[in-house]
């Protein structure tokens, strides 16, 4: 499909102030509390008052009955641009794209993109049970396995079709755990060996314990502003080279073996003016390792069906041949609800601005972060990706 | 205002009630419930572009036509992926782990997440059916396309059905012309034993000798018009009844302006509606308490209803009225029994061969036909079955035009 005219670039628009509110396995606090802490982190990081934030893009599963509107009064914001992005794992990319255009158009000067969720003891079951109408009618009553069961079906098919083995999934999980051990905020604190991975208890075959994320409470956030604003505030920043977003691609596939990235990947690199080999660090959306492998293919790092070989021929640690999910990703840092879609962007922003500290990849200047989400029924509907470029500062 | 006797029925499920599968469904999804109740496999099809869709939608994803219809669909499909779930967030499934789930590409197009029979193999063909789960809600089940050994023993399939095999069964009215055939059909289907209620177990009647001569059939004293008699039997065997087949009936043709009509109507109501209420009170709670007791659990309550419950017939006024009331009562009973995971199967039949409907011309329902249909309905976990040409005719005419049915029955 040819696309014309070429999309307008994001020249002059930057991302800044990566904020992660350290995760907790369970929390008695509300999503509002977690989002407030993220906003406070943004303000402290930027040296501004929260009333200076005139744009607010919020993602969460657990603010009900409040939407982003309710949060403005709850948190004392008075934005002139407001967005509620209930899109799970793709909410980060979607928030970033919308915010960048709003700032570019002058509709807002500083947009806070915040995702936060609590995890009270029954939160996860409620989220799964009420996720979507199709889930309510046609997947949840079939064992109530949630995303684990959905990704089990996808992983089994992928294994059968492309020859992926559990060891391949395990290699990614083990590398991410090694990365997480360098991230003081990661929930997972103990080393993981491939043997541990292989011997873990089954959750939804072929998925076993370490294929699955741990639901938790937490928040992730960043700011979008003009480059001149960032400079005036003295903030390190990353330029937005390109973004893509897609929903409900490839409806004809009998089982999902590719995401919407495959449809838009050409545009992703054309807009950025680079090739995949120029990416220094990659943050995939990793609620399960099979979906990371799909992203290696669909985002152009290898051809469709070649991710198993790609995994076997690379190392994925911070100092590896393909630095990947350097904070530990969701698999080892935890999945804080909708914040899982912001986690990769926040870590990418740290990496390309040289501020990742113990997880810093040497000389990382161009990073890719992707998002994926919304298993509405049998497949993840939403995909997105962003390429960030941090100048040496 | 008259104070009704007895305590108010509790609204919440009784303490210790078994967890049931997730029961929330959209209104549109109940198009599947309708088909599942009758054992049909139906999906939505677009009347404009003829494309089948699933899950249930409110518009066609191909052409946006907003008038999707549930129509019978091909039952074949290909199992393209599967999983065995070992961890679930739902209490019902936690008690039934591990649980198999499959993803099937239906021959008519859509991808369908299914409950998966243990003998199904990835890459092979399956046969799809709509079932009602323990919560009474519609689900798609996939079985191997060809018969496998002991196919009925699959634990997930058993949750969807009420196979009479190894069950202890009570037929409430042995005087029903189909009672002997029912008892034999259930025993042939593997029932452990059949108790048959008789108001006077020693009294001779057509079929009585047949009943008494059948192995594993036990006549038991049961006067359905006497609450104490019903309670006494429940006290004796209520804790062991797995399937209750309610054959309460009373057929006396009468015209409404005859002097005897009101009394006849009340007698019929006593023998059917009140009898069913006595049975529900006496046996319902004990059955509910055993609704999740594994392979030997209580599973089903069957009402043998006249198809005249659906559209009254002036020649059989009292039966029509009483069975219409019994039909309504069955919906009440179904709602009350659901928290216990007990199914209520309504078997609608046309006039049954025998002394009750001697004056009615054929086609009539034979006792063996009725019995086979009930056993089949239990094995398949159905909720509404229509037995015989007359019952199916009434069902079809009712669906097409209730007024036409009323006028034509009255001529």
């Amino acid at each position: 499909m040819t696309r014309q005219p070429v999309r307008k670039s994001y020249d002059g628009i930057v991302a800044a102030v990566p904020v992660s509110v350290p995760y907790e396995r369970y929390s008695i606090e509300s999503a509002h509390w977690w989002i407030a802490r993220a906003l406070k982190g943004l303000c402290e990081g930027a040296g501004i008052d929260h009333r200076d934030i005139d744009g607010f893009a919020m993602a969460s599963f657990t603010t009900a009955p409040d939407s982003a509107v309710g949060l403005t009064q709850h948190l004392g914001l008075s934005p002139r641009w407001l967005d509620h992005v209930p899109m799970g794992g793709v909410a980060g990319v979607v928030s970033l794209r919308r915010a960048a255009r709003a700032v570019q158009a002058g509709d807002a000067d500083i947009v806070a993109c915040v995702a936060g969720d609590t995890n009270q003891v029954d939160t996860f079951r409620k989220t799964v049970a009420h996720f979507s109408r199709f889930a309510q009618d046609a997947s949840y009553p079939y064992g109530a396995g949630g995303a684990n069961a959905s990704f089990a079906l996808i992983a089994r098919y992928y294994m059968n079709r492309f020859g992926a083995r559990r060891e391949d999934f395990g290699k990614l999980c083990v590398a991410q755990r090694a990365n997480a051990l360098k991230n003081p905020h990661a929930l997972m604190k103990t080393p993981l060996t491939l043997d541990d991975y292989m011997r873990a208890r089954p959750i939804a075959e072929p998925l076993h314990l370490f294929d699955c994320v741990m639901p938790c409470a937490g928040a992730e956030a960043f700011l979008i502003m003009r480059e001149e604003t960032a400079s005036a505030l003295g903030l390190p920043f990353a330029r937005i080279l390109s973004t893509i977003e897609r929903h409900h691609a490839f409806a004809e596939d009998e089982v999902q073996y590719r995401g919407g990235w495959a449809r838009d990947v050409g545009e992703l690199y054309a807009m950025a003016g680079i090739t995949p080999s120029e990416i220094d660090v990659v943050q995939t959306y990793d609620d399960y390792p099979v979906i990371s492998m799909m992203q290696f293919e669909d985002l152009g790092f290898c051809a469709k069906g070649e991710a198993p070989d790609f995994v076997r021929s690379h190392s994925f640690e911070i100092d590896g041949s393909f630095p990947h999910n350097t904070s530990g990703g969701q698999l080892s840092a935890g999945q804080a609800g909708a914040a899982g879609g912001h986690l990769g962007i926040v870590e990418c922003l740290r990496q390309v601005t040289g501020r990742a500290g113990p997880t810093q990849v040497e000389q990382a200047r161009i990073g890719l972060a992707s998002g994926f989400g919304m298993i509405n029924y049998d497949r993840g509907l939403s995909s997105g990706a962003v390429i960030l470029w941090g100048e040496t500062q | 205002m008259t104070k009704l006797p007895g305590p108010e029925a509790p609204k919440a499920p009784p303490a210790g009630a078994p967890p049931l599968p997730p029961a929330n469904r959209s209104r549109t999804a109940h198009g599947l419930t309708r088909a599942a109740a009758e054992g049909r496999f139906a999906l939505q099809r677009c009347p404009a572009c003829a494309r089948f869709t699933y899950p249930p939608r409110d518009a066609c994803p191909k052409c946006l036509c907003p008038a999707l219809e549930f129509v019978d669909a091909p039952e074949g499909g290909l199992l393209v992926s599967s999983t065995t779930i070992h961890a679930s967030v739902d209490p019902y499934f936690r008690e039934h782990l591990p649980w198999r789930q499959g993803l099937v590409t239906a021959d008519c197009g859509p991808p369908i997440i299914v409950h998966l029979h243990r003998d199904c193999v990835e890459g092979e063909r399956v046969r799809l059916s709509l079932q009602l789960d323990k919560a009474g809600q519609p689900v798609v089940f996939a079985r191997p396309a060809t018969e496998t050994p002991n196919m009925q023993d699959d634990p997930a399939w058993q949750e969807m059905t009420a196979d009479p095999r190894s069950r202890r069964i009570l037929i409430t009215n042995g005087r029903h012309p189909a009672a002997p055939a029912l008892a034999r059909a259930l025993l042939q289907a593997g029932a452990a034993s059949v108790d048959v209620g008789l108001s006077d177990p020693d009294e001779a009647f057509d079929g009585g000798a047949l009943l008494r001569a059948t192995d594993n059939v036990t006549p038991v004293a049961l006067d359905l018009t006497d609450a104490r008699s019903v309670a006494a039997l429940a006290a004796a065997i209520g804790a062991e009844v797995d399937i209750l087949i309610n054959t309460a009936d009373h057929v006396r043709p009468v015209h409404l302006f005859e002097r005897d009509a009101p009394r006849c109507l009340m007698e019929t109501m006593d023998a059917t509606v009140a009898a069913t209420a006595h049975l529900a009170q006496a046996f319902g709670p004990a059955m509910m308490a055993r609704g999740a007791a594994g392979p030997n659990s209580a599973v089903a309550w069957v009402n043998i209803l006249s198809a005249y419950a659906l559209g009254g017939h002036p020649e059989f006024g009292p039966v029509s009225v009483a069975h219409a009331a019994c039909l309504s009562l069955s919906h009440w009973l179904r709602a009350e029994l659901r928290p216990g995971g007990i199914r209520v199967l309504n078997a609608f039949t046309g006039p049954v061969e025998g002394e009750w409907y001697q004056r009615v011309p054929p086609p009539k329902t034979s006792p063996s036909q009725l019995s086979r249909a009930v056993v089949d309905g239990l094995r398949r976990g159905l909720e509404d079955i229509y037995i015989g040409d007359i019952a199916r005719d009434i069902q079809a005419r009712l669906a097409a035009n209730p007024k036409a049915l009323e006028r034509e029955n009255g001529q």
Side-chain angles (χ1 to χ4, degrees), chain A residues 282-327:
Chain A
V282 173
Q283 315 289 340
T284 64
Y285 189 83
D286 65 325
D287 47 356
Y288 300 86
V290 65
I291 199 67
S292 291
M293 286 172 68
M294 266 186 221
Q295 283 161 88
F296 296 157
E297 297 164 349
D298 297 344
L299 289 165
F301 299 105
C302 61
K304 178 52 66 182
E306 290 181 3
D309 279 338
F310 183 82
V311 167
R312 290 163 204 160
S313 62
H314 277 284
S315 54
F316 298 88
E317 288 80 8
I318 289 163
D319 57 356
S321 60
F322 191 86
H324 173 242
N325 290 359
T326 42
S327 67

Short mmCIF file of all heavy atoms in Angstrom, two decimals, chain A residues 282-327:
data_model
loop_
_atom_site.label_atom_id
_atom_site.label_comp_id
_atom_site.label_asym_id
_atom_site.label_seq_id
_atom_site.Cartn_x
_atom_site.Cartn_y
_atom_site.Cartn_z
N VAL A 282 16.82 -1.65 22.08
CA VAL A 282 15.44 -1.97 21.73
C VAL A 282 14.66 -2.35 22.99
O VAL A 282 15.12 -3.18 23.79
CB VAL A 282 15.39 -3.14 20.71
CG1 VAL A 282 13.95 -3.59 20.48
CG2 VAL A 282 16.03 -2.71 19.40
N GLN A 283 13.51 -1.73 23.15
CA GLN A 283 12.60 -2.09 24.24
C GLN A 283 11.32 -2.62 23.60
O GLN A 283 10.51 -1.85 23.10
CB GLN A 283 12.26 -0.88 25.12
CG GLN A 283 13.45 0.00 25.51
CD GLN A 283 14.39 -0.66 26.51
OE1 GLN A 283 14.01 -1.60 27.21
NE2 GLN A 283 15.63 -0.19 26.57
N THR A 284 11.16 -3.95 23.57
CA THR A 284 9.91 -4.49 23.03
C THR A 284 8.87 -4.59 24.12
O THR A 284 9.19 -4.56 25.32
CB THR A 284 10.11 -5.90 22.44
OG1 THR A 284 10.47 -6.80 23.48
CG2 THR A 284 11.15 -5.90 21.34
N TYR A 285 7.63 -4.73 23.70
CA TYR A 285 6.56 -4.97 24.66
C TYR A 285 6.58 -6.46 24.97
O TYR A 285 6.35 -7.30 24.09
CB TYR A 285 5.20 -4.55 24.09
CG TYR A 285 4.13 -4.58 25.15
CD1 TYR A 285 3.98 -3.50 26.02
CD2 TYR A 285 3.32 -5.68 25.33
CE1 TYR A 285 3.03 -3.53 27.03
CE2 TYR A 285 2.37 -5.71 26.33
CZ TYR A 285 2.23 -4.63 27.17
OH TYR A 285 1.29 -4.67 28.17
N ASP A 286 6.85 -6.82 26.18
CA ASP A 286 7.23 -8.20 26.51
C ASP A 286 6.32 -8.80 27.57
O ASP A 286 6.81 -9.34 28.56
CB ASP A 286 8.67 -8.21 27.02
CG ASP A 286 8.81 -7.44 28.33
OD1 ASP A 286 8.10 -6.43 28.50
OD2 ASP A 286 9.57 -7.87 29.20
N ASP A 287 5.03 -8.75 27.38
CA ASP A 287 4.22 -9.45 28.40
C ASP A 287 4.44 -10.96 28.31
O ASP A 287 4.20 -11.68 29.28
CB ASP A 287 2.74 -9.07 28.35
CG ASP A 287 2.14 -9.09 26.95
OD1 ASP A 287 2.88 -9.33 25.99
OD2 ASP A 287 0.93 -8.85 26.84
N TYR A 288 4.91 -11.43 27.14
CA TYR A 288 5.31 -12.83 26.98
C TYR A 288 6.45 -12.83 25.97
O TYR A 288 6.44 -12.02 25.03
CB TYR A 288 4.14 -13.69 26.45
CG TYR A 288 2.97 -13.67 27.41
CD1 TYR A 288 2.03 -12.65 27.34
CD2 TYR A 288 2.84 -14.63 28.40
CE1 TYR A 288 0.98 -12.60 28.25
CE2 TYR A 288 1.79 -14.59 29.31
CZ TYR A 288 0.86 -13.57 29.23
OH TYR A 288 -0.17 -13.50 30.12
N PRO A 289 7.42 -13.71 26.12
CA PRO A 289 8.57 -13.65 25.20
C PRO A 289 8.19 -13.89 23.76
O PRO A 289 8.85 -13.36 22.86
CB PRO A 289 9.52 -14.75 25.74
CG PRO A 289 8.72 -15.55 26.70
CD PRO A 289 7.60 -14.70 27.20
N VAL A 290 7.12 -14.65 23.49
CA VAL A 290 6.77 -14.90 22.10
C VAL A 290 6.44 -13.59 21.38
O VAL A 290 6.74 -13.42 20.19
CB VAL A 290 5.58 -15.89 21.99
CG1 VAL A 290 4.29 -15.30 22.57
CG2 VAL A 290 5.34 -16.29 20.54
N ILE A 291 5.87 -12.64 22.10
CA ILE A 291 5.50 -11.40 21.43
C ILE A 291 6.74 -10.53 21.19
O ILE A 291 6.80 -9.78 20.23
CB ILE A 291 4.37 -10.67 22.20
CG1 ILE A 291 3.66 -9.67 21.29
CG2 ILE A 291 4.85 -10.01 23.45
CD1 ILE A 291 2.89 -10.29 20.16
N SER A 292 7.75 -10.68 22.03
CA SER A 292 9.02 -10.00 21.75
C SER A 292 9.64 -10.57 20.48
O SER A 292 10.18 -9.83 19.64
CB SER A 292 9.99 -10.17 22.93
OG SER A 292 9.53 -9.43 24.04
N MET A 293 9.57 -11.89 20.33
CA MET A 293 10.13 -12.49 19.12
C MET A 293 9.39 -12.02 17.88
O MET A 293 9.99 -11.76 16.83
CB MET A 293 10.11 -14.02 19.24
CG MET A 293 11.21 -14.49 20.20
SD MET A 293 11.16 -16.23 20.63
CE MET A 293 11.59 -16.97 19.08
N MET A 294 8.07 -11.90 17.99
CA MET A 294 7.31 -11.36 16.85
C MET A 294 7.76 -9.95 16.51
O MET A 294 7.83 -9.56 15.35
CB MET A 294 5.82 -11.33 17.18
CG MET A 294 5.08 -12.56 16.73
SD MET A 294 3.32 -12.30 17.02
CE MET A 294 2.92 -13.93 17.61
N GLN A 295 8.10 -9.17 17.54
CA GLN A 295 8.52 -7.79 17.29
C GLN A 295 9.88 -7.75 16.62
O GLN A 295 10.14 -6.87 15.79
CB GLN A 295 8.52 -7.00 18.61
CG GLN A 295 7.10 -6.62 19.02
CD GLN A 295 7.00 -6.24 20.50
OE1 GLN A 295 7.20 -5.09 20.85
NE2 GLN A 295 6.69 -7.22 21.33
N PHE A 296 10.78 -8.67 16.96
CA PHE A 296 12.06 -8.71 16.26
C PHE A 296 11.81 -8.85 14.75
O PHE A 296 12.49 -8.22 13.93
CB PHE A 296 12.94 -9.88 16.74
CG PHE A 296 13.35 -9.78 18.18
CD1 PHE A 296 13.70 -10.93 18.89
CD2 PHE A 296 13.40 -8.56 18.84
CE1 PHE A 296 14.10 -10.85 20.22
CE2 PHE A 296 13.79 -8.47 20.18
CZ PHE A 296 14.14 -9.63 20.87
N GLU A 297 10.83 -9.67 14.41
CA GLU A 297 10.50 -9.87 12.99
C GLU A 297 9.76 -8.67 12.41
O GLU A 297 10.16 -8.10 11.38
CB GLU A 297 9.62 -11.11 12.84
CG GLU A 297 10.31 -12.40 13.28
CD GLU A 297 9.35 -13.56 13.49
OE1 GLU A 297 8.11 -13.35 13.50
OE2 GLU A 297 9.82 -14.68 13.65
N ASP A 298 8.70 -8.28 13.08
CA ASP A 298 7.79 -7.28 12.50
C ASP A 298 8.41 -5.88 12.50
O ASP A 298 7.97 -5.02 11.76
CB ASP A 298 6.46 -7.28 13.27
CG ASP A 298 5.72 -8.61 13.17
OD1 ASP A 298 6.09 -9.40 12.27
OD2 ASP A 298 4.81 -8.85 13.97
N LEU A 299 9.41 -5.65 13.37
CA LEU A 299 10.07 -4.36 13.41
C LEU A 299 11.37 -4.37 12.61
O LEU A 299 12.19 -3.46 12.72
CB LEU A 299 10.32 -3.92 14.85
CG LEU A 299 9.03 -3.54 15.60
CD1 LEU A 299 9.26 -3.46 17.10
CD2 LEU A 299 8.46 -2.21 15.09
N GLY A 300 11.56 -5.44 11.83
CA GLY A 300 12.60 -5.41 10.81
C GLY A 300 13.97 -5.89 11.25
O GLY A 300 14.94 -5.73 10.49
N PHE A 301 14.12 -6.48 12.42
CA PHE A 301 15.45 -6.95 12.83
C PHE A 301 15.77 -8.32 12.23
O PHE A 301 16.92 -8.73 12.18
CB PHE A 301 15.55 -6.98 14.36
CG PHE A 301 15.36 -5.61 14.96
CD1 PHE A 301 14.18 -5.26 15.61
CD2 PHE A 301 16.35 -4.64 14.82
CE1 PHE A 301 14.00 -4.00 16.13
CE2 PHE A 301 16.18 -3.37 15.35
CZ PHE A 301 15.00 -3.04 16.01
N CYS A 302 14.74 -9.05 11.82
CA CYS A 302 14.94 -10.30 11.08
C CYS A 302 13.64 -10.57 10.32
O CYS A 302 12.64 -9.89 10.54
CB CYS A 302 15.29 -11.47 12.00
SG CYS A 302 14.04 -11.88 13.22
N ALA A 303 13.68 -11.55 9.42
CA ALA A 303 12.50 -11.82 8.60
C ALA A 303 11.47 -12.63 9.40
O ALA A 303 11.80 -13.24 10.42
CB ALA A 303 12.90 -12.58 7.34
N LYS A 304 10.24 -12.66 8.90
CA LYS A 304 9.18 -13.44 9.57
C LYS A 304 9.60 -14.90 9.66
O LYS A 304 10.06 -15.49 8.66
CB LYS A 304 7.87 -13.28 8.80
CG LYS A 304 6.69 -14.06 9.35
CD LYS A 304 6.43 -13.83 10.85
CE LYS A 304 5.99 -12.43 11.21
NZ LYS A 304 5.82 -12.29 12.71
N GLY A 305 9.46 -15.44 10.83
CA GLY A 305 9.80 -16.84 11.05
C GLY A 305 11.25 -17.05 11.46
O GLY A 305 11.64 -18.16 11.82
N GLU A 306 12.06 -15.99 11.41
CA GLU A 306 13.48 -16.15 11.72
C GLU A 306 13.85 -15.74 13.13
O GLU A 306 15.03 -15.78 13.51
CB GLU A 306 14.32 -15.37 10.70
CG GLU A 306 14.27 -16.00 9.32
CD GLU A 306 15.12 -15.25 8.30
OE1 GLU A 306 15.80 -14.28 8.67
OE2 GLU A 306 15.07 -15.65 7.12
N ALA A 307 12.87 -15.30 13.91
CA ALA A 307 13.21 -14.87 15.27
C ALA A 307 13.84 -15.98 16.11
O ALA A 307 14.75 -15.70 16.89
CB ALA A 307 11.98 -14.30 15.97
N PRO A 308 13.41 -17.24 15.96
CA PRO A 308 14.09 -18.27 16.75
C PRO A 308 15.60 -18.30 16.47
O PRO A 308 16.41 -18.35 17.40
CB PRO A 308 13.40 -19.57 16.31
CG PRO A 308 12.01 -19.12 15.92
CD PRO A 308 12.22 -17.77 15.28
N ASP A 309 15.98 -18.22 15.18
CA ASP A 309 17.41 -18.19 14.86
C ASP A 309 18.06 -16.90 15.34
O ASP A 309 19.20 -16.90 15.81
CB ASP A 309 17.61 -18.31 13.34
CG ASP A 309 17.52 -19.76 12.89
OD1 ASP A 309 17.74 -20.64 13.75
OD2 ASP A 309 17.24 -19.99 11.69
N PHE A 310 17.32 -15.81 15.22
CA PHE A 310 17.84 -14.52 15.69
C PHE A 310 18.16 -14.59 17.18
O PHE A 310 19.21 -14.13 17.63
CB PHE A 310 16.79 -13.43 15.40
CG PHE A 310 17.21 -12.04 15.76
CD1 PHE A 310 17.99 -11.29 14.89
CD2 PHE A 310 16.82 -11.47 16.97
CE1 PHE A 310 18.37 -9.99 15.20
CE2 PHE A 310 17.21 -10.17 17.30
CZ PHE A 310 17.98 -9.44 16.42
N VAL A 311 17.24 -15.19 17.93
CA VAL A 311 17.46 -15.31 19.37
C VAL A 311 18.68 -16.19 19.66
O VAL A 311 19.51 -15.88 20.51
CB VAL A 311 16.20 -15.87 20.06
CG1 VAL A 311 16.49 -16.29 21.50
CG2 VAL A 311 15.08 -14.82 20.02
N ARG A 312 18.81 -17.28 18.89
CA ARG A 312 19.91 -18.20 19.14
C ARG A 312 21.27 -17.55 18.80
O ARG A 312 22.30 -17.93 19.35
CB ARG A 312 19.72 -19.48 18.31
CG ARG A 312 18.55 -20.33 18.82
CD ARG A 312 18.08 -21.37 17.81
NE ARG A 312 16.69 -21.75 18.08
CZ ARG A 312 15.88 -22.32 17.18
NH1 ARG A 312 16.31 -22.58 15.95
NH2 ARG A 312 14.64 -22.62 17.50
N SER A 313 21.24 -16.56 17.91
CA SER A 313 22.53 -16.01 17.46
C SER A 313 22.87 -14.66 18.10
O SER A 313 23.85 -14.03 17.72
CB SER A 313 22.53 -15.88 15.93
OG SER A 313 21.51 -14.98 15.54
N HIS A 314 22.07 -14.23 19.05
CA HIS A 314 22.37 -12.95 19.70
C HIS A 314 22.36 -13.11 21.21
O HIS A 314 21.85 -14.10 21.75
CB HIS A 314 21.34 -11.88 19.30
CG HIS A 314 21.64 -11.22 18.00
ND1 HIS A 314 22.62 -10.27 17.85
CD2 HIS A 314 21.10 -11.39 16.77
CE1 HIS A 314 22.68 -9.88 16.59
NE2 HIS A 314 21.76 -10.55 15.90
N SER A 315 22.90 -12.09 21.87
CA SER A 315 22.76 -12.01 23.34
C SER A 315 22.02 -10.72 23.65
O SER A 315 22.16 -9.72 22.95
CB SER A 315 24.13 -12.06 24.01
OG SER A 315 24.97 -11.05 23.47
N PHE A 316 21.21 -10.77 24.70
CA PHE A 316 20.23 -9.71 24.92
C PHE A 316 20.45 -8.95 26.22
O PHE A 316 19.59 -8.20 26.66
CB PHE A 316 18.82 -10.32 24.86
CG PHE A 316 18.53 -10.93 23.51
CD1 PHE A 316 18.86 -12.24 23.24
CD2 PHE A 316 17.97 -10.16 22.51
CE1 PHE A 316 18.63 -12.79 21.99
CE2 PHE A 316 17.74 -10.70 21.25
CZ PHE A 316 18.06 -12.02 20.98
N GLU A 317 21.60 -9.17 26.83
CA GLU A 317 21.91 -8.44 28.04
C GLU A 317 22.29 -6.99 27.70
O GLU A 317 22.46 -6.64 26.52
CB GLU A 317 23.06 -9.13 28.80
CG GLU A 317 22.67 -10.44 29.47
CD GLU A 317 22.64 -11.62 28.49
OE1 GLU A 317 23.06 -11.46 27.33
OE2 GLU A 317 22.17 -12.71 28.90
N ILE A 318 22.46 -6.19 28.73
CA ILE A 318 22.79 -4.78 28.53
C ILE A 318 24.06 -4.63 27.69
O ILE A 318 24.15 -3.75 26.84
CB ILE A 318 22.95 -4.10 29.91
CG1 ILE A 318 21.55 -3.99 30.57
CG2 ILE A 318 23.60 -2.73 29.79
CD1 ILE A 318 21.57 -3.71 32.05
N ASP A 319 25.02 -5.54 27.90
CA ASP A 319 26.26 -5.47 27.12
C ASP A 319 26.27 -6.51 26.00
O ASP A 319 27.31 -6.87 25.47
CB ASP A 319 27.47 -5.68 28.04
CG ASP A 319 27.41 -7.00 28.80
OD1 ASP A 319 26.37 -7.71 28.66
OD2 ASP A 319 28.35 -7.32 29.53
N GLY A 320 25.08 -6.99 25.64
CA GLY A 320 25.01 -8.05 24.63
C GLY A 320 25.06 -7.51 23.22
O GLY A 320 25.16 -6.29 22.99
N SER A 321 24.96 -8.44 22.24
CA SER A 321 25.02 -8.03 20.84
C SER A 321 23.73 -7.33 20.41
O SER A 321 23.70 -6.63 19.41
CB SER A 321 25.27 -9.25 19.95
OG SER A 321 24.21 -10.19 20.11
N PHE A 322 22.66 -7.52 21.17
CA PHE A 322 21.38 -6.87 20.86
C PHE A 322 20.74 -6.46 22.19
O PHE A 322 19.87 -7.15 22.71
CB PHE A 322 20.48 -7.87 20.10
CG PHE A 322 19.24 -7.24 19.49
CD1 PHE A 322 19.28 -6.64 18.24
CD2 PHE A 322 18.03 -7.25 20.19
CE1 PHE A 322 18.13 -6.07 17.68
CE2 PHE A 322 16.88 -6.68 19.63
CZ PHE A 322 16.93 -6.09 18.38
N PRO A 323 21.19 -5.33 22.74
CA PRO A 323 20.67 -4.92 24.06
C PRO A 323 19.15 -4.75 24.01
O PRO A 323 18.64 -4.01 23.16
CB PRO A 323 21.38 -3.59 24.32
CG PRO A 323 22.56 -3.58 23.42
CD PRO A 323 22.15 -4.36 22.20
N HIS A 324 18.47 -5.43 24.89
CA HIS A 324 17.02 -5.55 24.76
C HIS A 324 16.38 -5.52 26.16
O HIS A 324 16.83 -6.21 27.06
CB HIS A 324 16.71 -6.89 24.06
CG HIS A 324 15.24 -7.25 24.01
ND1 HIS A 324 14.72 -8.36 24.60
CD2 HIS A 324 14.19 -6.62 23.42
CE1 HIS A 324 13.42 -8.42 24.39
NE2 HIS A 324 13.07 -7.38 23.67
N ASN A 325 15.35 -4.75 26.30
CA ASN A 325 14.61 -4.65 27.56
C ASN A 325 15.55 -4.54 28.75
O ASN A 325 15.58 -5.38 29.65
CB ASN A 325 13.62 -5.82 27.69
CG ASN A 325 12.48 -5.68 26.69
OD1 ASN A 325 12.44 -4.71 25.93
ND2 ASN A 325 11.57 -6.62 26.66
N THR A 326 16.28 -3.44 28.69
CA THR A 326 17.43 -3.26 29.57
C THR A 326 17.06 -3.04 31.03
O THR A 326 17.88 -3.24 31.92
CB THR A 326 18.26 -2.06 29.06
OG1 THR A 326 17.36 -1.01 28.67
CG2 THR A 326 19.07 -2.47 27.84
N SER A 327 15.81 -2.64 31.30
CA SER A 327 15.41 -2.48 32.70
C SER A 327 14.94 -3.80 33.29
O SER A 327 14.59 -3.87 34.46
CB SER A 327 14.26 -1.46 32.80
OG SER A 327 13.09 -1.98 32.18
#
